[in-house]
C-alpha cells in the first residue's frame, strides 16, 4: 500500500493537487515536480515521454500504485505510450491517469453552440490531444485552439496582475475568439492558467464559460477510485502530504505556495544520482 502520486513538470499541477486534496482529503499524496527540467511544452514527444516515465518510476519506487499526470503536456505527449507500452510489462498493479480525458469526456455539458475553444501551451496545441479526445466523444463539436507561450512564464514569475499579463491575456483571447464567433466554452488546458483566471474573465465576453480542470479532475479521480476498488484498496489513508522537487527546495517552497495556496515543505530528489 502507498500514497497517490501527483506528477507535474513544474508548479502548475499544484492547482490540480489542491482540488484533489480538498475533494479527497483522507488519502496520502506525494507531489513530484520536475522543476529542474521545466518547461516540457517545447520539448519533443520522445523527451517528454522519457522525462515523464523517469518521474513516474520514482513515484512507483516510493510506493505509489496510482499516479496522476497533473500536466497537460505530459498527458498529451507521454500518457498513451506509458499506458500501452510500460504498464503492461509490470507484474504488479499500477496505473497512470492524465488530466485531458476528464475534461473532454464531459465538455458537452458546457457548450450549447458546439463550438469550444482551447487555451494551452504550444506543446499541447501541437499535439492536438484535446481536438482528438473531444472528437472521440463528441464528433459534432468544433474545436479551436490558441497557444499562449507567455502565460506560464508570467505566472511562474508571479506577474499575474502586471500590465504584461493583461496584454498577453487579451491578445490570446482575442485571437482565439476571432476563429469563431460561436465559441461559448473555453478550456484552460494548462494547469498554470487558473492563476490568471481573474484577468481571463475580465477579457472573456459574457456568455463564454471558462473551464478550469482542477475540480473536474478531482471529481473524476473520486469516481475512478469508487469504480476500481482494487486500486483504491492499495491507497493509504492518513491525510499525509509530501512534496518532492528536482530543483532547489527553497525556490520550490516559495513558488509552490502560490499555486497550492498553503505553505509547503519539500525535499529535493536528484534524478541523476538518485539521492533524496
Amino acid at each position: 500500500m502507498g500514497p497517490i502520486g501527483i506528477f507535474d513538470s513544474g508548479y502548475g499541477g499544484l492547482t490540480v493537487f489542491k482540488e484533489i486534496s480538498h475533494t479527497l482529503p483522507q488519502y496520502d499524496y506525494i507531489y513530484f515536480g520536475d522543476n529542474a527540467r521545466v518547461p516540457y511544452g517545447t520539448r519533443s514527444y520522445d523527451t517528454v515521454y522519457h522525462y515523464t516515465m523517469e518521474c513516474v518510476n520514482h513515484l512507483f519506487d516510493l510506493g505509489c500504485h496510482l499516479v496522476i499526470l497533473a500536466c497537460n503536456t505530459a498527458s498529451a505527449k507521454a500518457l498513451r505510450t506509458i499506458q500501452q507500452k510500460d504498464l503492461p510489462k509490470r507484474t504488479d498493479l499500477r496505473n497512470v491517469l492524465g488530466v485531458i480525458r476528464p475534461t473532454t469526456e464531459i465538455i458537452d455539458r458546457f457548450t450549447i453552440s458546439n463550438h469550444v475553444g482551447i487555451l494551452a501551451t504550444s506543446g499541447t496545441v501541437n499535439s492536438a490531444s484535446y481536438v482528438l479526445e473531444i472528437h472521440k466523444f463528441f464528433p459534432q463539436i468544433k474545436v479551436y485552439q490558441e497557444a499562449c507561450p507567455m502565460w506560464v512564464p508570467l505566472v511562474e514569475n508571479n506577474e499575474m496582475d502586471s500590465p504584461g499579463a493583461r496584454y498577453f491575456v487579451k491578445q490570446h483571447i482575442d485571437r482565439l475568439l476571432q476563429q469563431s464567433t460561436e465559441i461559448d466554452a473555453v478550456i484552460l488546458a494548462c494547469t498554470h492558467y487558473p492563476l490568471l483566471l481573474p484577468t481571463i474573465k475580465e477579457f472573456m465576453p459574457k456568455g463564454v464559460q471558462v473551464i478550469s480542470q482542477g475540480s473536474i479532475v478531482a471529481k473524476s479521480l473520486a469516481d475512478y477510485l469508487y469504480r476500481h476498488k482494487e486500486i483504491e484498496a492499495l491507497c493509504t489513508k492518513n491525510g499525509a502530504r509530501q512534496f518532492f522537487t528536482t530543483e532547489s527546495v527553497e525556490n520550490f517552497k516559495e513558488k509552490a505556495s502560490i499555486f497550492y495556496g498553503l505553505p509547503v515543505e519539500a525535499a529535493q530528489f536528484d534524478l541523476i544520482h538518485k539521492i533524496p
Side-chain angles (χ1 to χ4, degrees):
M1 297 178 67
I4 296 172
I6 312 287
F7 166 73
D8 186 29
S9 58
Y11 300 97
L14 288 162
T15 63
V16 173
F17 182 26
K18 179 181 177 180
E19 295 292 340
I20 289 175
S21 60
H22 175 74
T23 302
L24 299 164
Q26 69 272 34
Y27 293 96
D28 298 337
Y29 298 97
I30 294 178
Y31 181 89
F32 185 31
D34 190 11
N35 306 85
R37 299 189 294 199
V38 74
Y40 278 22
T42 56
R43 300 185 186 276
S44 69
Y45 275 78
D46 286 344
T47 300
V48 172
Y49 160 70
H50 174 75
Y51 285 180
T52 301
M53 194 64 232
E54 194 172 15
C55 296
V56 167
N57 279 329
H58 170 52
L59 287 166
F60 285 164
D61 290 343
L62 291 173
C64 299
H65 290 268
L66 177 64
V67 175
I68 312 299
L69 303 185
C71 172
N72 281 277
T73 300
S75 296
K77 293 185 174 183
L79 179 60
R80 185 180 297 275
T81 303
I82 291 172
Q83 289 177 334
Q84 295 180 351
K85 173 185 172 183
D86 297 287
L87 294 181
K89 296 177 182 177
R90 300 191 65 96
T91 57
D92 53 355
L93 185 58
R94 310 274 177 162
N95 202 6
V96 180
L97 305 174
V99 293
I100 295 177
R101 172 160 286 196
T103 309
T104 56
E105 67 185 2
I106 63 168
I107 190 60
D108 65 318
R109 302 178 190 177
F110 300 94
T111 179
I112 297 173
S113 68
N114 285 332
H115 288 250
V116 172
I118 308 293
L119 294 168
T121 64
S122 299
T124 299
V125 167
N126 292 336
S127 75
S129 293
Y130 275 88
V131 179
L132 295 171
E133 284 292 316
I134 290 175
H135 285 165
K136 186 186 302 180
F137 295 109
F138 310 105
Q140 76 280 12
I141 292 180
K142 295 184 178 180
V143 184
Y144 307 88
Q145 300 190 99
E146 172 66 15
C148 312
M150 289 301 298
W151 288 18
V152 167
L154 286 166
V155 172
E156 297 228 337
N157 287 284
N158 202 15
E159 295 285 337
M160 290 84 74
D161 300 319
S162 69
R166 292 173 58 82
Y167 173 83
F168 284 110
V169 166
K170 184 179 187 304
Q171 179 189 69
H172 291 296
I173 288 175
D174 288 347
R175 288 180 180 176
L176 175 66
L177 297 179
Q178 284 170 6
Q179 297 180 47
S180 172
T181 58
E182 296 184 67
I183 293 173
D184 65 353
V186 173
I187 299 173
L188 302 184
C190 174
T191 51
H192 281 69
Y193 295 178
L195 275 74
L196 289 166
L197 195 54
T199 307
I200 291 169
K201 288 185 173 180
E202 179 183 346
F203 292 110
M204 195 71 72
K206 290 182 179 179
V208 178
Q209 191 164 183
V210 180
I211 305 161
S212 294
Q213 296 174 296
S215 61
I216 294 173
V217 172
K219 291 174 184 175
S220 178
L221 176 58
D223 178 65
Y224 175 87
L225 292 171
Y226 176 78
R227 291 183 292 107
H228 294 83
K229 301 296 186 184
E230 72 286 0
I231 288 282
E232 199 279 336
L234 294 171
C235 300
T236 51
K237 305 176 185 68
N238 301 299
R241 312 283 185 266
Q242 289 181 280
F243 298 84
F244 287 87
T245 176
T246 55
E247 203 203 9
S248 158
V249 169
E250 292 306 315
N251 285 347
F252 180 83
K253 286 165 60 176
E254 179 182 350
K255 291 186 178 181
S257 62
I258 299 172
F259 291 82
Y260 192 59
L262 293 170
V264 302
E265 291 297 326
Q268 187 178 30
F269 186 82
D270 188 332
L271 282 168
I272 298 175
H273 302 103
K274 301 292 188 298
I275 301 174

